[in-house]
Amino acid sequence: MCAPEHFAVEYAINPWMDLTVGVDVALAVEQWDRLRHTLVDLGHDVHVLTPQAGLPDMVFAANGAFVVDGTVYGAQFKHEQRAAEAAAHREFYQKHGWHFIAPSETNEGEGDFAYLPEAHGGLILAGHGFRTELPAHAEAQEALGRPVVSLRLVDPRFYHLDVALASIDDGNVAYFPGAFSAASQRVLAQLFPDAVLADDEDALAFGLNLVSDGANVVLNSDATRLAGKLKAAGYTPVPVELAELKKGGGSVKCCIAELRP
Ligand code: ARG
């Protein structure tokens, strides 16, 4: 994770970013810190990156890389405004001895990649259409040695996979079908017949931008119906408020890069 000390909306690279709306940095830090504490209280180790001035989106740590079984596939940001973030993530992984593979294709890390270790023997889901480019899906498959299933995102409000789909345990997902092309919806229905489906309102409240440890699902507090569906499916929803970061176009999952040793 990376504290939003320098969080701002200084450019607009997704439809959620409105340059006329001010950001309350103190509130953003407070909400982010509550998210961090929530994870620690659930028993997780949280490492933090040092926030850098001039990189207002660095709080969205999920975009910096994608890790599967100790191998790290680095990010290469689509927009020049965020390009420098990749080096901070790379430095973290290299310093801690992870096997790091540098990308040569445009991809935004866990923003567009999800890993399901128990689905069909270990499956990577990958989004394209807005940020991560298709050649990066093939590159990730070669880097990580897991089959990659490409899914096309079609609604600019869901510009990353992780705002439209999330793994809720090692083998199942929750998603909003309307964010995907008709063909990709069929692929998802075939692969995940028992998926939890979110409605548009919960998806637009960033409900799917969640993290799960397989039992506890930490999600945006506005996504109340999705929380109910997860509860009915046997999970424990853990709602957190992250309204300030929504101004940058992100929520819970965007703030967290998952380490998979
Ligand atoms: N403002 C950031 C961007 O548009 C938000 C990134 C959100 N991160 C995510 N994993 N969806 O790039």
Side-chain angles (χ1 to χ4, degrees):
M1 298 181 74
C2 180
E5 272 165 42
H6 301 289
F7 178 56
V9 180
E10 290 168 355
Y11 48 79
I13 56 174
N14 70 55
W16 301 93
M17 300 174 86
D18 179 347
L19 294 171
T20 64
V21 170
V23 160
D24 183 339
V25 173
L27 180 60
V29 171
E30 195 182 306
Q31 293 176 339
W32 174 88
D33 210 43
R34 241 176 279 143
L35 171 63
R36 188 176 65 84
H37 272 113
T38 301
L39 299 178
V40 170
D41 290 346
L42 288 170
H44 301 290
D45 285 334
V46 178
H47 302 260
V48 290
L49 295 179
T50 307
Q52 291 176 28
L55 295 176
D57 273 334
M58 209 176 154
V59 59
F60 301 117
N63 299 122
F66 175 54
V67 188
V68 172
D69 287 348
T71 298
V72 185
Y73 174 54
Q76 183 170 294
F77 285 83
K78 172 157 179 118
H79 297 101
E80 165 234 290
Q81 293 98 325
R82 298 196 64 189
E85 294 178 39
H89 289 267
R90 179 185 189 142
E91 199 188 308
F92 169 86
Y93 290 107
Q94 290 182 330
K95 197 171 83 191
H96 289 87
W98 295 73
H99 177 215
F100 185 90
I101 297 179
S104 46
E105 304 292 347
T106 299
N107 84 88
E108 299 198 343
E110 292 207 322
D112 277 319
F113 289 109
Y115 183 53
L116 283 296
E118 312 250 289
H120 308 273
L123 215 57
I124 293 171
L125 303 181
H128 67 104
F130 297 101
R131 299 290 182 86
T132 296
E133 290 173 6
L134 260 178
H137 294 188
E139 193 175 52
Q141 178 165 295
E142 285 306 304
L144 302 168
R146 297 291 186 289
V148 173
V149 176
S150 292
L151 301 166
R152 190 156 78 87
L153 297 162
V154 294
D155 180 334
R157 295 170 301 177
F158 303 101
Y159 58 94
H160 274 145
L161 181 70
D162 75 356
V163 291
L165 177 146
S167 66
I168 48 174
D169 60 35
D170 284 348
N172 201 11
V173 294
Y175 67 97
F176 170 55
F180 298 91
S181 70
S184 292
Q185 289 181 36
R186 284 186 54 183
V187 170
L188 285 168
Q190 179 186 321
L191 291 175
F192 302 102
D194 301 321
V196 173
L197 300 185
D199 60 33
D200 54 344
E201 219 179 295
D202 279 353
L204 288 167
F206 283 110
L208 290 162
N209 195 240
L210 59 79
V211 292
S212 171
D213 57 18
N216 305 291
V217 182
V218 182
L219 82 170
N220 194 292
S221 54
D222 291 334
T224 48
R225 276 177 313 279
L226 179 59
K229 288 180 191 174
L230 289 165
K231 198 166 183 184
Y235 301 87
T236 305
V238 183
V240 292
E241 207 192 306
L242 272 183
E244 214 47 31
L245 292 178
K246 196 177 176 188
K247 296 174 180 171
S251 188
V252 175
K253 170 61 207 169
C254 297
C255 294
I256 300 162
E258 290 172 62
L259 301 172
R260 301 182 191 86

